[in-house]
Each structure stands twice: as C-alpha cells, then as structure tokens.
Amino acid sequence: HSAAVPAPDQVLDERGRDLTTRQLADRLAHWQGAGGDTAFVIGGADGVDEGMKQQAAEMLRLSSLTLPHMLTRLLLCEQLYRAYSLLRNHPYHREG
C-alpha cells in the first residue's frame, strides 16, 4: 500500500468481526464522540493488502459472502444510515 494512504480505522473483510445493527450503532456513537474522521477501507478484486489489515483498528464483516466492492459501498452506506437512524430513534430501523 502507498505511504499516502493513512492506516485505516476499519477494514471490511469477510473474515472480519460480524456486528449487529445495534452494535454498529454503538460503534458509530463511539466514533462520533471521539471526534475526527473514521475511514473504511473496501478492497478491490484482490481484497485488502495484508499490511493494511494489520494496521487497521478493526476488521468488520458486512457478509460472509464475497461481494463486489461497488455493492459493498452501497451496503456500507445503508448500514451506516440504518445505525444513525437507530441512534436518533427514527423508525427506519425496526428491531424485533
């Protein structure tokens, strides 16, 4: 990986930690409270460089399936929106 790319906060990988929507919302609240930026890295066809994975604060999984990176971007946006709406008590996310 390039020196111009800082160490990522979150790497999305099929071997990463599986979170529920509630757990992602809790993470989102933590990131917001910590201030600064949170960067997500989504790998291309060959995945994410091992060195970058090792530098990441955490590896998360959106699915055990291998997904095209463009679809992964869409799923990540949806899940962040869902987590944000959950934190704001918006009825978009329904649990139960």
PDB file of all heavy atoms in Angstrom, residues 46-77:
ATOM      1  N   ASP A  46      -8.805  -8.069  -5.528  1.00  0.00           N
ATOM      2  CA  ASP A  46      -7.819  -8.871  -4.803  1.00  0.00           C
ATOM      3  C   ASP A  46      -7.898  -8.680  -3.296  1.00  0.00           C
ATOM      4  O   ASP A  46      -7.024  -9.142  -2.561  1.00  0.00           O
ATOM      5  CB  ASP A  46      -6.406  -8.528  -5.290  1.00  0.00           C
ATOM      6  CG  ASP A  46      -6.200  -8.899  -6.751  1.00  0.00           C
ATOM      7  OD1 ASP A  46      -6.760  -9.936  -7.173  1.00  0.00           O
ATOM      8  OD2 ASP A  46      -5.517  -8.146  -7.457  1.00  0.00           O
ATOM      9  N   GLY A  47      -8.910  -7.990  -2.817  1.00  0.00           N
ATOM     10  CA  GLY A  47      -9.063  -7.782  -1.384  1.00  0.00           C
ATOM     11  C   GLY A  47      -8.197  -6.635  -0.893  1.00  0.00           C
ATOM     12  O   GLY A  47      -7.732  -5.801  -1.659  1.00  0.00           O
ATOM     13  N   VAL A  48      -7.977  -6.597   0.410  1.00  0.00           N
ATOM     14  CA  VAL A  48      -7.193  -5.548   1.056  1.00  0.00           C
ATOM     15  C   VAL A  48      -5.811  -6.092   1.369  1.00  0.00           C
ATOM     16  O   VAL A  48      -5.661  -7.233   1.811  1.00  0.00           O
ATOM     17  CB  VAL A  48      -7.890  -5.070   2.354  1.00  0.00           C
ATOM     18  CG1 VAL A  48      -7.047  -4.045   3.091  1.00  0.00           C
ATOM     19  CG2 VAL A  48      -9.265  -4.500   2.037  1.00  0.00           C
ATOM     20  N   ASP A  49      -4.799  -5.276   1.159  1.00  0.00           N
ATOM     21  CA  ASP A  49      -3.415  -5.630   1.448  1.00  0.00           C
ATOM     22  C   ASP A  49      -3.279  -6.096   2.903  1.00  0.00           C
ATOM     23  O   ASP A  49      -3.841  -5.487   3.824  1.00  0.00           O
ATOM     24  CB  ASP A  49      -2.537  -4.394   1.206  1.00  0.00           C
ATOM     25  CG  ASP A  49      -1.091  -4.635   1.557  1.00  0.00           C
ATOM     26  OD1 ASP A  49      -0.408  -5.316   0.767  1.00  0.00           O
ATOM     27  OD2 ASP A  49      -0.654  -4.151   2.616  1.00  0.00           O
ATOM     28  N   GLU A  50      -2.539  -7.180   3.115  1.00  0.00           N
ATOM     29  CA  GLU A  50      -2.364  -7.739   4.467  1.00  0.00           C
ATOM     30  C   GLU A  50      -1.766  -6.728   5.434  1.00  0.00           C
ATOM     31  O   GLU A  50      -2.136  -6.670   6.601  1.00  0.00           O
ATOM     32  CB  GLU A  50      -1.511  -9.005   4.419  1.00  0.00           C
ATOM     33  CG  GLU A  50      -2.233 -10.223   3.864  1.00  0.00           C
ATOM     34  CD  GLU A  50      -3.471 -10.615   4.657  1.00  0.00           C
ATOM     35  OE1 GLU A  50      -3.446 -10.568   5.911  1.00  0.00           O
ATOM     36  OE2 GLU A  50      -4.489 -10.954   4.020  1.00  0.00           O
ATOM     37  N   GLY A  51      -0.810  -5.932   4.954  1.00  0.00           N
ATOM     38  CA  GLY A  51      -0.211  -4.921   5.809  1.00  0.00           C
ATOM     39  C   GLY A  51      -1.232  -3.903   6.287  1.00  0.00           C
ATOM     40  O   GLY A  51      -1.209  -3.465   7.445  1.00  0.00           O
ATOM     41  N   MET A  52      -2.144  -3.518   5.396  1.00  0.00           N
ATOM     42  CA  MET A  52      -3.184  -2.570   5.770  1.00  0.00           C
ATOM     43  C   MET A  52      -4.141  -3.197   6.774  1.00  0.00           C
ATOM     44  O   MET A  52      -4.575  -2.540   7.718  1.00  0.00           O
ATOM     45  CB  MET A  52      -3.932  -2.093   4.533  1.00  0.00           C
ATOM     46  CG  MET A  52      -4.896  -0.955   4.828  1.00  0.00           C
ATOM     47  SD  MET A  52      -5.578  -0.200   3.343  1.00  0.00           S
ATOM     48  CE  MET A  52      -4.239   0.920   2.944  1.00  0.00           C
ATOM     49  N   LYS A  53      -4.443  -4.468   6.597  1.00  0.00           N
ATOM     50  CA  LYS A  53      -5.308  -5.165   7.563  1.00  0.00           C
ATOM     51  C   LYS A  53      -4.677  -5.159   8.946  1.00  0.00           C
ATOM     52  O   LYS A  53      -5.342  -4.953   9.952  1.00  0.00           O
ATOM     53  CB  LYS A  53      -5.556  -6.606   7.127  1.00  0.00           C
ATOM     54  CG  LYS A  53      -6.482  -6.762   5.962  1.00  0.00           C
ATOM     55  CD  LYS A  53      -6.663  -8.241   5.659  1.00  0.00           C
ATOM     56  CE  LYS A  53      -7.440  -8.492   4.409  1.00  0.00           C
ATOM     57  NZ  LYS A  53      -7.603  -9.929   4.140  1.00  0.00           N
ATOM     58  N   GLN A  54      -3.372  -5.388   8.999  1.00  0.00           N
ATOM     59  CA  GLN A  54      -2.680  -5.441  10.285  1.00  0.00           C
ATOM     60  C   GLN A  54      -2.631  -4.075  10.962  1.00  0.00           C
ATOM     61  O   GLN A  54      -2.598  -3.989  12.183  1.00  0.00           O
ATOM     62  CB  GLN A  54      -1.276  -5.999  10.100  1.00  0.00           C
ATOM     63  CG  GLN A  54      -1.280  -7.468   9.737  1.00  0.00           C
ATOM     64  CD  GLN A  54       0.106  -8.005   9.407  1.00  0.00           C
ATOM     65  OE1 GLN A  54       1.101  -7.301   9.494  1.00  0.00           O
ATOM     66  NE2 GLN A  54       0.168  -9.271   9.026  1.00  0.00           N
ATOM     67  N   GLN A  55      -2.635  -3.011  10.186  1.00  0.00           N
ATOM     68  CA  GLN A  55      -2.588  -1.659  10.738  1.00  0.00           C
ATOM     69  C   GLN A  55      -3.963  -1.142  11.150  1.00  0.00           C
ATOM     70  O   GLN A  55      -4.059  -0.168  11.892  1.00  0.00           O
ATOM     71  CB  GLN A  55      -1.982  -0.693   9.727  1.00  0.00           C
ATOM     72  CG  GLN A  55      -0.523  -0.910   9.474  1.00  0.00           C
ATOM     73  CD  GLN A  55       0.011   0.086   8.453  1.00  0.00           C
ATOM     74  OE1 GLN A  55      -0.693   1.004   8.020  1.00  0.00           O
ATOM     75  NE2 GLN A  55       1.253  -0.093   8.058  1.00  0.00           N
ATOM     76  N   ALA A  56      -5.009  -1.783  10.682  1.00  0.00           N
ATOM     77  CA  ALA A  56      -6.366  -1.303  10.946  1.00  0.00           C
ATOM     78  C   ALA A  56      -6.721  -1.441  12.424  1.00  0.00           C
ATOM     79  O   ALA A  56      -6.277  -2.364  13.104  1.00  0.00           O
ATOM     80  CB  ALA A  56      -7.365  -2.092  10.113  1.00  0.00           C
ATOM     81  N   ALA A  57      -7.522  -0.515  12.886  1.00  0.00           N
ATOM     82  CA  ALA A  57      -8.022  -0.585  14.255  1.00  0.00           C
ATOM     83  C   ALA A  57      -8.929  -1.814  14.421  1.00  0.00           C
ATOM     84  O   ALA A  57      -8.941  -2.447  15.477  1.00  0.00           O
ATOM     85  CB  ALA A  57      -8.784   0.687  14.607  1.00  0.00           C
ATOM     86  N   GLU A  58      -9.651  -2.151  13.367  1.00  0.00           N
ATOM     87  CA  GLU A  58     -10.602  -3.261  13.440  1.00  0.00           C
ATOM     88  C   GLU A  58     -10.953  -3.739  12.044  1.00  0.00           C
ATOM     89  O   GLU A  58     -10.955  -2.966  11.095  1.00  0.00           O
ATOM     90  CB  GLU A  58     -11.865  -2.773  14.154  1.00  0.00           C
ATOM     91  CG  GLU A  58     -12.891  -3.832  14.425  1.00  0.00           C
ATOM     92  CD  GLU A  58     -14.025  -3.307  15.284  1.00  0.00           C
ATOM     93  OE1 GLU A  58     -14.306  -2.098  15.277  1.00  0.00           O
ATOM     94  OE2 GLU A  58     -14.651  -4.134  15.955  1.00  0.00           O
ATOM     95  N   MET A  59     -11.256  -5.017  11.931  1.00  0.00           N
ATOM     96  CA  MET A  59     -11.777  -5.573  10.683  1.00  0.00           C
ATOM     97  C   MET A  59     -13.234  -5.945  10.926  1.00  0.00           C
ATOM     98  O   MET A  59     -13.555  -6.634  11.887  1.00  0.00           O
ATOM     99  CB  MET A  59     -10.978  -6.802  10.242  1.00  0.00           C
ATOM    100  CG  MET A  59      -9.636  -6.438   9.698  1.00  0.00           C
ATOM    101  SD  MET A  59      -8.729  -7.724   8.783  1.00  0.00           S
ATOM    102  CE  MET A  59      -9.572  -9.222   9.070  1.00  0.00           C
ATOM    103  N   LEU A  60     -14.096  -5.452  10.044  1.00  0.00           N
ATOM    104  CA  LEU A  60     -15.524  -5.724  10.143  1.00  0.00           C
ATOM    105  C   LEU A  60     -15.988  -6.489   8.921  1.00  0.00           C
ATOM    106  O   LEU A  60     -15.400  -6.387   7.854  1.00  0.00           O
ATOM    107  CB  LEU A  60     -16.306  -4.408  10.226  1.00  0.00           C
ATOM    108  CG  LEU A  60     -15.993  -3.507  11.405  1.00  0.00           C
ATOM    109  CD1 LEU A  60     -16.789  -2.219  11.302  1.00  0.00           C
ATOM    110  CD2 LEU A  60     -16.276  -4.213  12.712  1.00  0.00           C
ATOM    111  N   ARG A  61     -17.074  -7.226   9.104  1.00  0.00           N
ATOM    112  CA  ARG A  61     -17.654  -8.007   8.001  1.00  0.00           C
ATOM    113  C   ARG A  61     -19.090  -7.535   7.782  1.00  0.00           C
ATOM    114  O   ARG A  61     -19.859  -7.432   8.729  1.00  0.00           O
ATOM    115  CB  ARG A  61     -17.634  -9.491   8.388  1.00  0.00           C
ATOM    116  CG  ARG A  61     -18.414 -10.361   7.440  1.00  0.00           C
ATOM    117  CD  ARG A  61     -18.329 -11.823   7.759  1.00  0.00           C
ATOM    118  NE  ARG A  61     -18.785 -12.106   9.105  1.00  0.00           N
ATOM    119  CZ  ARG A  61     -18.344 -13.132   9.828  1.00  0.00           C
ATOM    120  NH1 ARG A  61     -17.432 -13.945   9.333  1.00  0.00           N
ATOM    121  NH2 ARG A  61     -18.796 -13.350  11.025  1.00  0.00           N
ATOM    122  N   LEU A  62     -19.415  -7.261   6.535  1.00  0.00           N
ATOM    123  CA  LEU A  62     -20.804  -6.983   6.183  1.00  0.00           C
ATOM    124  C   LEU A  62     -21.524  -8.265   5.799  1.00  0.00           C
ATOM    125  O   LEU A  62     -22.737  -8.365   5.923  1.00  0.00           O
ATOM    126  CB  LEU A  62     -20.891  -6.002   5.015  1.00  0.00           C
ATOM    127  CG  LEU A  62     -20.515  -4.553   5.309  1.00  0.00           C
ATOM    128  CD1 LEU A  62     -20.618  -3.703   4.046  1.00  0.00           C
ATOM    129  CD2 LEU A  62     -21.408  -3.974   6.390  1.00  0.00           C
ATOM    130  N   SER A  63     -20.752  -9.244   5.318  1.00  0.00           N
ATOM    131  CA  SER A  63     -21.330 -10.503   4.882  1.00  0.00           C
ATOM    132  C   SER A  63     -20.224 -11.549   4.812  1.00  0.00           C
ATOM    133  O   SER A  63     -19.066 -11.212   4.591  1.00  0.00           O
ATOM    134  CB  SER A  63     -21.960 -10.344   3.489  1.00  0.00           C
ATOM    135  OG  SER A  63     -22.391 -11.594   2.987  1.00  0.00           O
ATOM    136  N   SER A  64     -20.583 -12.790   4.997  1.00  0.00           N
ATOM    137  CA  SER A  64     -19.632 -13.881   4.788  1.00  0.00           C
ATOM    138  C   SER A  64     -19.427 -14.152   3.306  1.00  0.00           C
ATOM    139  O   SER A  64     -18.482 -14.826   2.919  1.00  0.00           O
ATOM    140  CB  SER A  64     -20.124 -15.156   5.480  1.00  0.00           C
ATOM    141  OG  SER A  64     -20.158 -14.959   6.875  1.00  0.00           O
ATOM    142  N   LEU A  65     -20.309 -13.624   2.490  1.00  0.00           N
ATOM    143  CA  LEU A  65     -20.208 -13.787   1.046  1.00  0.00           C
ATOM    144  C   LEU A  65     -19.148 -12.844   0.492  1.00  0.00           C
ATOM    145  O   LEU A  65     -18.903 -11.776   1.044  1.00  0.00           O
ATOM    146  CB  LEU A  65     -21.543 -13.474   0.381  1.00  0.00           C
ATOM    147  CG  LEU A  65     -22.735 -14.319   0.810  1.00  0.00           C
ATOM    148  CD1 LEU A  65     -24.017 -13.742   0.233  1.00  0.00           C
ATOM    149  CD2 LEU A  65     -22.537 -15.761   0.380  1.00  0.00           C
ATOM    150  N   THR A  66     -18.563 -13.204  -0.612  1.00  0.00           N
ATOM    151  CA  THR A  66     -17.678 -12.298  -1.329  1.00  0.00           C
ATOM    152  C   THR A  66     -18.548 -11.379  -2.164  1.00  0.00           C
ATOM    153  O   THR A  66     -19.374 -11.841  -2.947  1.00  0.00           O
ATOM    154  CB  THR A  66     -16.711 -13.089  -2.232  1.00  0.00           C
ATOM    155  OG1 THR A  66     -15.958 -13.974  -1.418  1.00  0.00           O
ATOM    156  CG2 THR A  66     -15.779 -12.160  -2.978  1.00  0.00           C
ATOM    157  N   LEU A  67     -18.393 -10.075  -1.961  1.00  0.00           N
ATOM    158  CA  LEU A  67     -19.239  -9.093  -2.641  1.00  0.00           C
ATOM    159  C   LEU A  67     -18.395  -8.192  -3.527  1.00  0.00           C
ATOM    160  O   LEU A  67     -17.263  -7.861  -3.182  1.00  0.00           O
ATOM    161  CB  LEU A  67     -19.956  -8.216  -1.605  1.00  0.00           C
ATOM    162  CG  LEU A  67     -20.846  -8.929  -0.597  1.00  0.00           C
ATOM    163  CD1 LEU A  67     -21.281  -7.965   0.504  1.00  0.00           C
ATOM    164  CD2 LEU A  67     -22.062  -9.520  -1.284  1.00  0.00           C
ATOM    165  N   PRO A  68     -18.942  -7.750  -4.646  1.00  0.00           N
ATOM    166  CA  PRO A  68     -18.237  -6.764  -5.471  1.00  0.00           C
ATOM    167  C   PRO A  68     -18.068  -5.473  -4.660  1.00  0.00           C
ATOM    168  O   PRO A  68     -18.965  -5.086  -3.907  1.00  0.00           O
ATOM    169  CB  PRO A  68     -19.164  -6.527  -6.665  1.00  0.00           C
ATOM    170  CG  PRO A  68     -20.179  -7.616  -6.625  1.00  0.00           C
ATOM    171  CD  PRO A  68     -20.230  -8.126  -5.223  1.00  0.00           C
ATOM    172  N   HIS A  69     -16.926  -4.808  -4.828  1.00  0.00           N
ATOM    173  CA  HIS A  69     -16.657  -3.649  -3.975  1.00  0.00           C
ATOM    174  C   HIS A  69     -17.673  -2.522  -4.171  1.00  0.00           C
ATOM    175  O   HIS A  69     -17.983  -1.806  -3.229  1.00  0.00           O
ATOM    176  CB  HIS A  69     -15.212  -3.154  -4.136  1.00  0.00           C
ATOM    177  CG  HIS A  69     -14.911  -2.475  -5.419  1.00  0.00           C
ATOM    178  ND1 HIS A  69     -14.590  -3.158  -6.575  1.00  0.00           N
ATOM    179  CD2 HIS A  69     -14.875  -1.168  -5.723  1.00  0.00           C
ATOM    180  CE1 HIS A  69     -14.378  -2.292  -7.530  1.00  0.00           C
ATOM    181  NE2 HIS A  69     -14.536  -1.089  -7.056  1.00  0.00           N
ATOM    182  N   MET A  70     -18.219  -2.367  -5.357  1.00  0.00           N
ATOM    183  CA  MET A  70     -19.228  -1.324  -5.556  1.00  0.00           C
ATOM    184  C   MET A  70     -20.512  -1.638  -4.777  1.00  0.00           C
ATOM    185  O   MET A  70     -21.147  -0.746  -4.225  1.00  0.00           O
ATOM    186  CB  MET A  70     -19.532  -1.136  -7.041  1.00  0.00           C
ATOM    187  CG  MET A  70     -18.372  -0.544  -7.827  1.00  0.00           C
ATOM    188  SD  MET A  70     -17.831   1.066  -7.206  1.00  0.00           S
ATOM    189  CE  MET A  70     -19.106   2.097  -7.866  1.00  0.00           C
ATOM    190  N   LEU A  71     -20.888  -2.898  -4.711  1.00  0.00           N
ATOM    191  CA  LEU A  71     -22.054  -3.303  -3.927  1.00  0.00           C
ATOM    192  C   LEU A  71     -21.756  -3.147  -2.436  1.00  0.00           C
ATOM    193  O   LEU A  71     -22.618  -2.732  -1.657  1.00  0.00           O
ATOM    194  CB  LEU A  71     -22.451  -4.742  -4.265  1.00  0.00           C
ATOM    195  CG  LEU A  71     -23.683  -5.292  -3.567  1.00  0.00           C
ATOM    196  CD1 LEU A  71     -24.903  -4.413  -3.826  1.00  0.00           C
ATOM    197  CD2 LEU A  71     -23.957  -6.710  -4.042  1.00  0.00           C
ATOM    198  N   THR A  72     -20.538  -3.445  -2.041  1.00  0.00           N
ATOM    199  CA  THR A  72     -20.136  -3.287  -0.647  1.00  0.00           C
ATOM    200  C   THR A  72     -20.263  -1.831  -0.221  1.00  0.00           C
ATOM    201  O   THR A  72     -20.714  -1.541   0.890  1.00  0.00           O
ATOM    202  CB  THR A  72     -18.704  -3.796  -0.436  1.00  0.00           C
ATOM    203  OG1 THR A  72     -18.648  -5.173  -0.811  1.00  0.00           O
ATOM    204  CG2 THR A  72     -18.265  -3.656   1.005  1.00  0.00           C
ATOM    205  N   ARG A  73     -19.891  -0.915  -1.092  1.00  0.00           N
ATOM    206  CA  ARG A  73     -20.028   0.518  -0.780  1.00  0.00           C
ATOM    207  C   ARG A  73     -21.480   0.868  -0.496  1.00  0.00           C
ATOM    208  O   ARG A  73     -21.792   1.573   0.464  1.00  0.00           O
ATOM    209  CB  ARG A  73     -19.507   1.372  -1.937  1.00  0.00           C
ATOM    210  CG  ARG A  73     -18.012   1.320  -2.087  1.00  0.00           C
ATOM    211  CD  ARG A  73     -17.522   1.990  -3.329  1.00  0.00           C
ATOM    212  NE  ARG A  73     -17.815   3.422  -3.324  1.00  0.00           N
ATOM    213  CZ  ARG A  73     -17.464   4.236  -4.293  1.00  0.00           C
ATOM    214  NH1 ARG A  73     -16.815   3.788  -5.352  1.00  0.00           N
ATOM    215  NH2 ARG A  73     -17.751   5.514  -4.219  1.00  0.00           N
ATOM    216  N   LEU A  74     -22.373   0.352  -1.325  1.00  0.00           N
ATOM    217  CA  LEU A  74     -23.800   0.609  -1.147  1.00  0.00           C
ATOM    218  C   LEU A  74     -24.302   0.001   0.165  1.00  0.00           C
ATOM    219  O   LEU A  74     -25.028   0.648   0.926  1.00  0.00           O
ATOM    220  CB  LEU A  74     -24.583   0.050  -2.334  1.00  0.00           C
ATOM    221  CG  LEU A  74     -26.093   0.221  -2.293  1.00  0.00           C
ATOM    222  CD1 LEU A  74     -26.466   1.700  -2.281  1.00  0.00           C
ATOM    223  CD2 LEU A  74     -26.724  -0.487  -3.469  1.00  0.00           C
ATOM    224  N   LEU A  75     -23.907  -1.228   0.440  1.00  0.00           N
ATOM    225  CA  LEU A  75     -24.335  -1.880   1.683  1.00  0.00           C
ATOM    226  C   LEU A  75     -23.796  -1.150   2.911  1.00  0.00           C
ATOM    227  O   LEU A  75     -24.496  -1.000   3.917  1.00  0.00           O
ATOM    228  CB  LEU A  75     -23.871  -3.337   1.713  1.00  0.00           C
ATOM    229  CG  LEU A  75     -24.595  -4.280   0.762  1.00  0.00           C
ATOM    230  CD1 LEU A  75     -23.926  -5.653   0.783  1.00  0.00           C
ATOM    231  CD2 LEU A  75     -26.054  -4.404   1.138  1.00  0.00           C
ATOM    232  N   LEU A  76     -22.558  -0.688   2.848  1.00  0.00           N
ATOM    233  CA  LEU A  76     -21.983   0.060   3.969  1.00  0.00           C
ATOM    234  C   LEU A  76     -22.769   1.354   4.195  1.00  0.00           C
ATOM    235  O   LEU A  76     -23.108   1.686   5.344  1.00  0.00           O
ATOM    236  CB  LEU A  76     -20.508   0.363   3.716  1.00  0.00           C
ATOM    237  CG  LEU A  76     -19.828   1.228   4.773  1.00  0.00           C
ATOM    238  CD1 LEU A  76     -19.855   0.555   6.152  1.00  0.00           C
ATOM    239  CD2 LEU A  76     -18.393   1.534   4.352  1.00  0.00           C
ATOM    240  N   CYS A  77     -23.077   2.071   3.132  1.00  0.00           N
ATOM    241  CA  CYS A  77     -23.861   3.309   3.262  1.00  0.00           C
ATOM    242  C   CYS A  77     -25.216   3.026   3.896  1.00  0.00           C
ATOM    243  O   CYS A  77     -25.658   3.750   4.797  1.00  0.00           O
ATOM    244  CB  CYS A  77     -24.055   3.971   1.902  1.00  0.00           C
ATOM    245  SG  CYS A  77     -22.560   4.726   1.251  1.00  0.00           S
TER     246      CYS A  77
END
